[in-house]
Amino acid sequence: MGGKKWLYLVLAFACLAGILWFMPTSAALKPAAKASLAIAVFAIIVWVTQALDDALSALVIVFLLAALKATDLTGSFAGYSNTALWLIVIGFIMAACMEKSGLSKRIALFLVNAAGGSAIKVYWAVALVMAVLSFLVPSITARTLLMLPIILGVGQAFGTKPGESNIVKALLFIVAMSGTMMSIGVLTAHVGNPITAGLIQTATKSTISWSQWLKVGAPPAFILAFVSVYVIQLMWPPEFKNLGKGQDFVRTELAALGKFSGMEAYTLAVFLLTLVLWATDSFHKINVVIIGMLSVILLLWPSKGVMTWKEAQQKVPWNVFVLYGAGLSMGTALASSGAAKWLAGTMLSPIVTMPHAVQMVILIWFITGLQIFFTGGGPKTTALTPIIIAHAVAIGANPLGFALILGMNMQHQYLLPVSNMPNAVAMGTGHVTTKELMKTGAVMSVLAAAFMTGVVFTYWKWLGLVQ
């Protein structure tokens, strides 16, 4: 561990101790609430600074929750029994099966090839690929990594040099940033979405269905994403009107896949069945996780499935599972102990008399600005959603609608190379500089917050989520 990380770790423990020893208890901030608050501050410092590995920080958080009596032992591990956490595991296994079968690559190449070689059309074809894959590949990181070799192959085919092609830059930004915007609209498309649903379920005892999330999130998310593609096109206009050899590369790659295989057909059938069941869950009332479990069972079934469990378990980032399980436990402790209610009353008191819609807008801009402190929408969701829910209850707003809208807006992470994994992947190609990414990310952040401000006063108000 480097010197800076030691310093950050000391700071985290110092803040933990300072809150425990020096912050006075009160009727609103009882000992369990104070302990929960201290652990939350410790967690945020560790997550922002990366002073500890994700999984290790999670183990420390679970230990502190029990040791400092922020909750009981069962409550310390409660996050791991939350169905939303298992939806993340299901998503990664489904994404891995889609990749192994070759189906996702075939879909991507087919849609890019349909652009016919026009550079501008390729921008929109890649955006369409990301839109389709948002439903089929339940991981924004997996979708980004899938598109990366296609984009770089197109660039290499027409002889671009790293850092010199607007086409490659634009395509990377469309995948990383527009693709993240699309993730907001589908419950299974981003790791932060099930976390939001899980925290809402814990606090309100209401389950967010896949179709309900789609109804609330998909229209604004996909409209915003396609608007962002147009803005990226203006910021990074193509240097060529026609891709030329780049299009030849796509056709060659598509031809190399050969005929549609039996494994691809089986994978497609399972995914279509899953999507149909998810989309109709408001009718048959089968939980989204149960449907996902069925999909994984079919994809891993002996002799017929796409991969074995031994292969599948290697595709699941278990550190993410351990981290978000601890985060859900911490979020539950913040809510049940009264710490979230105390924080909401303390931090958000200046806006409590404003109309609910105005408060939502202020919070959307606030949490978008907080992206500089978080390395992903997931940790931000885990840290802030309990406070948002407590604030909604305190002002007499519908906590489900309030938390659902603001939970969706937690995913605006575009500004820095470390803001989310797709940005890091884009930076790793050598085709994008930090300055270019930050310039584009700043525009996308303002665009997203401004667009969602309009949605608060229109679409979400029409749905009855904004009072």
Side-chain angles (χ1 to χ4, degrees):
M1 182 183 291
K4 275 191 175 182
K5 288 193 173 183
W6 273 114
L7 184 62
Y8 293 141
L9 194 56
V10 170
L11 174 64
F13 276 111
C15 290
L16 175 77
I19 293 171
L20 288 173
W21 293 340
F22 300 115
M23 182 174 283
T25 56
S26 65
L29 191 68
K30 296 177 180 178
K34 190 166 70 169
S36 298
L37 177 62
I39 294 165
V41 171
F42 170 86
I44 290 172
I45 293 173
V46 168
W47 290 341
V48 169
T49 63
Q50 293 288 287
L52 293 175
D53 292 335
D54 288 342
L56 180 56
S57 71
L59 296 178
V60 173
I61 289 166
V62 171
F63 168 77
L64 290 174
L65 286 171
L68 299 179
K69 300 188 184 305
T71 183
D72 58 20
L73 187 61
T74 301
S76 300
F77 288 91
Y80 298 99
S81 64
N82 194 302
T83 55
L85 186 66
W86 290 95
L87 192 58
I88 295 172
V89 176
I90 289 167
F92 277 106
I93 294 176
M94 291 175 68
C97 290
M98 177 69 83
E99 179 186 0
K100 183 182 177 182
S101 71
L103 180 60
S104 54
K105 184 176 181 180
R106 185 183 294 276
I107 292 171
L109 288 169
F110 176 80
L111 291 174
V112 172
N113 185 55
S118 166
I120 291 295
K121 287 183 179 179
V122 167
Y123 282 19
W124 292 97
V126 167
L128 181 59
V129 170
M130 293 302 291
V132 172
L133 294 182
S134 295
F135 294 90
L136 298 176
V137 181
S139 165
I140 180 59
T141 302
R143 295 193 295 275
T144 302
L145 293 174
L146 167 69
M147 293 302 297
L148 188 64
I150 298 173
I151 292 171
L152 297 183
V154 168
Q156 291 168 1
F158 61 78
T160 183
K161 294 181 180 178
E164 295 183 1
S165 171
N166 274 8
I167 293 175
V168 175
K169 293 179 197 294
L171 294 179
L172 288 172
F173 289 139
I174 288 168
V175 168
M177 298 182 187
S178 304
T180 297
M181 292 173 181
M182 294 174 188
S183 298
I184 294 171
V186 184
L187 176 60
T188 48
H190 191 288
V191 69
N193 296 348
I195 299 301
T196 296
L199 290 168
I200 291 174
Q201 181 179 342
T202 299
T204 67
K205 309 305 178 188
S206 299
T207 301
I208 305 295
S209 70
W210 193 89
S211 56
Q212 184 180 3
W213 187 289
L214 189 74
K215 178 183 177 181
V216 173
F222 284 99
I223 293 172
L224 169 61
F226 284 113
V227 170
S228 76
V229 173
Y230 180 72
V231 174
I232 290 171
Q233 176 186 318
L234 295 178
M235 293 181 70
W236 305 102
E239 61 269 31
F240 305 114
K241 290 185 177 180
N242 196 288
L243 292 184
K245 291 183 179 179
Q247 182 69 11
D248 293 338
F249 167 81
V250 173
R251 289 172 180 161
T252 301
E253 287 289 299
L254 189 58
L257 291 177
K259 294 182 178 180
F260 200 72
S261 68
M263 182 183 289
E264 288 176 280
Y266 181 76
T267 304
L268 180 60
V270 172
F271 270 75
L272 289 177
L273 172 64
T274 305
L275 286 175
V276 168
L277 290 174
W278 275 343
T280 57
D281 59 0
S282 60
F283 297 103
H284 54 64
K285 307 299 181 183
I286 302 175
N287 188 278
V288 61
V289 177
I290 298 300
I291 297 169
M293 284 287 189
L294 173 63
S295 177
V296 168
I297 290 169
L298 293 174
L299 290 169
L300 302 184
W301 196 256
S303 73
K304 187 64 178 176
V306 177
M307 61 172 55
T308 64
W309 170 252
K310 188 174 182 179
E311 294 174 287
Q313 66 179 346
Q314 296 173 359
K315 299 293 184 179
V316 178
W318 293 106
N319 62 317
V320 172
F321 177 86
V322 175
L323 174 66
Y324 287 133
L328 284 167
S329 294
M330 185 182 75
T332 302
L334 282 168
S336 62
S337 68
K341 182 179 180 180
W342 180 86
L343 267 175
T346 303
M347 294 171 54
L348 304 179
S349 57
I351 66 172
V352 294
T353 58
M354 298 179 182
H356 293 173
V358 175
Q359 292 188 48
M360 277 189 179
V361 168
I362 291 172
L363 290 171
I364 285 172
W365 284 90
F366 177 65
I367 61 180
T368 301
L370 286 179
Q371 65 181 293
I372 61 174
F373 298 111
F374 291 94
T375 56
K380 187 164 67 172
T381 299
T382 305
L384 300 181
T385 301
I387 301 171
I388 297 297
I389 292 173
H391 176 68
V393 172
I395 64 174
N398 175 8
L400 188 151
F402 217 87
L404 184 58
I405 288 173
L406 288 163
M408 290 177 175
N409 282 278
M410 296 285 182
Q411 312 314 328
H412 298 316
Q413 293 281 130
Y414 317 112
L415 187 60
L416 303 175
V418 295
S419 289
N420 60 22
M421 189 56 71
N423 277 15
V425 171
M427 281 295 301
T429 64
H431 284 271
V432 175
T433 67
T434 301
K435 183 178 179 180
E436 290 167 341
L437 185 141
M438 290 183 68
K439 179 179 77 171
T440 309
V443 173
M444 293 299 107
S445 298
V446 173
L447 171 66
F451 182 87
M452 291 303 184
T453 294
V455 177
V456 168
F457 291 104
T458 53
Y459 182 66
W460 285 329
K461 195 173 186 68
W462 301 336
L463 290 180
L465 295 174
V466 181
Q467 299 171 354

